[in-house]
Amino acid sequence: MPTRADEPAADRYDRMPYRRCGRSGLRLPAVSLGLWHNFGDDRPFEVGSRIVRRAFDLGVTHFDLANNYGTPYGSAERNFGRMLAADLRGHRDELVISTKAGNDMWPGPYGVGGSRKYLTASLDQSLRRLGVDYVDIFYSHRFDPETPLEETTGALASAVRQGKALYVGISSYSPEQTRQAEALLRAEGVPLLIHQPSYSMFDRWIEPELLDVVGGAGVGCIAFSPLAQGLLTDRYLDGVPADSRARRASSLPSDLLSDQVLARVRALDRIARGRGQSLAALALTWALRDLRMTSVLVGASSVEQLENNIAAVAAAPLTAGELEEIDQYAAAGGADLRQTLEAATARA
C-alpha cells in the first residue's frame, strides 16, 4: 500500500473490473464506495481519509454520497470535499462523484421531498460542501408522492442543462415509477442514467420486475445495502457485538437478529468458506452475478474491511449448484428484511 506523499497506485485500473452503465458511455467499478456511514464528523477524519485513498488505489473510482449523509447532516460531503482537495487533488477527472436529495435535510417545508425548490437548493449546497463545480450523478433519493413526478424529473433535467450534474439517477423508485421517470426524462432530452435500489440476498424485491425495467430501458443499476447493513458479514455469526449497528439501534435494529435469521446467515457463511470467501465477499459476488447490475455500493469502517469487500471482484463465478444452495437461505427461505431496512434508510 503506497504512502500518501506519492501518487496513487500505478496499477489501480488493473485491479478492478468496470461495467458499462446501461446504454451510456459511462463505466463504473464493479464495487463502489458509499459514504452513508463512517465519514461524518462523528468518526475520525483520518480513518475515512485512509479508506478513500486505499479505495482509489484498488480501482474504486465511484464515490457515492447524499446531502444528509454523516452526522451531522452534510458532514460526509464536507469531509469528502477535504479529501478531494488534498489526497485526490489532481484526480477529479478520474472520479465519479454522486450525491442525492429527497430525504430530510433541513427544517421546514423546503428541506425534504421532490420539489424543484428543494432539489435545486440542495444540489447547490452539496456542490459548495464538496468544493466542486459539478457532480457526475445527481439522484432523486426517493419518490415523493406529494410532488408531481414531472416537477422532480424537470429539476433533474435542469441540473444537467445548468452544468451542475453530468447525469441523473433515481433511488428506491418502484418499477412503474421508474418507467414514468425514464419516459419523462427521455422527453426532456436527459436520459435516466441509473437506478439505485436496495438489494441483497435478504432483500430481493428488484428481481421480479425492476431489473427487467431498467435492463429494457438501457438504465444502469447500482445496489445499496448489498450486505444488508452488515448482517451478511461475519459480525453476527457468534451473537451481537457491543459496538455493532444493532447495538447502536441505528440502521440494523436488533430485533432482526432472530434465531431463524442468524441460522440463515451461518448457513451462507458455510457456503462462502467452501468457496474460500468471506460471507461479505460472497454476498457481493452474488449481487453482481447479473450483468444488469452495474455496481454494488459498500461502506467501510476500516481499510481491512474495504479490502475484504473488494476481494469479491476476483472470485470465481457462482455455479448453478451454488446458486441453488444459496436460494435455500436467501429471502425465499424466511422473513424478507426489505421493509425494516427501507425504514432505516429513510431515516438516513
Side-chain angles (χ1 to χ4, degrees), residues 232-234 268-269 271-273 275-285 305 308-309 311-312:
L232 290 167
T233 70
D234 61 5
L268 291 166
D269 181 64
I271 297 171
R273 285 188 282 111
R275 284 174 48 85
Q277 288 186 286
S278 68
L279 174 55
L282 173 67
L284 298 178
T285 300
Q305 189 180 77
N308 178 51
N309 290 340

Side-chain angles (χ1 to χ4, degrees), residues 16-44:
M16 175 69 64
Y18 298 86
R19 294 185 174 189
R20 187 180 178 198
C21 192
R23 283 197 290 262
S24 78
L26 184 68
R27 291 192 296 160
L28 296 180
V31 177
S32 301
L33 183 62
L35 281 73
W36 178 8
H37 301 289
N38 303 313
F39 293 88
D41 291 347
D42 57 335
R43 302 297 176 90

Side-chain angles (χ1 to χ4, degrees), residues 229-257:
Q229 291 306 307
L231 185 55
L232 290 167
T233 70
D234 61 5
R235 286 183 64 77
Y236 301 100
L237 295 175
D238 299 315
V240 184
D243 63 344
S244 69
R245 291 179 185 175
R247 288 293 189 204
R248 296 198 303 267
S250 57
S251 58
L252 184 58
S254 58
D255 58 6
L256 286 178
L257 301 175

Side-chain angles (χ1 to χ4, degrees), residues 132 297-298 339:
V132 297
L297 282 165
V298 300
Q339 289 185 344

Side-chain angles (χ1 to χ4, degrees), residues 253-269:
S254 58
D255 58 6
L256 286 178
L257 301 175
S258 66
D259 290 342
Q260 179 194 31
V261 171
L262 290 178
R264 291 162 57 199
V265 171
R266 294 183 186 109
L268 291 166
D269 181 64

Side-chain angles (χ1 to χ4, degrees), residues 184-246:
L184 288 167
L185 284 164
R186 183 162 26 89
E188 292 262 12
V190 177
L192 176 61
L193 174 78
I194 195 166
H195 189 300
Q196 186 177 131
S198 60
Y199 184 56
S200 73
M201 290 178 178
F202 288 168
D203 179 11
R204 301 177 66 167
W205 73 278
I206 69 174
E207 291 179 357
E209 188 176 1
L210 183 60
L211 276 174
D212 287 339
V213 171
V214 296
V219 173
C221 190
I222 182 169
F224 75 86
S225 296
L227 304 182
Q229 291 306 307
L231 185 55
L232 290 167
T233 70
D234 61 5
R235 286 183 64 77
Y236 301 100
L237 295 175
D238 299 315
V240 184
D243 63 344
S244 69
R245 291 179 185 175

Side-chain angles (χ1 to χ4, degrees), residues 77 81-82 84-85 125-134:
E77 288 182 327
R82 290 174 60 191
L84 186 62
Q125 293 177 23
S126 291
L127 294 176
R128 288 195 293 271
R129 284 190 292 268
L130 289 163
V132 297
D133 296 325
Y134 70 94

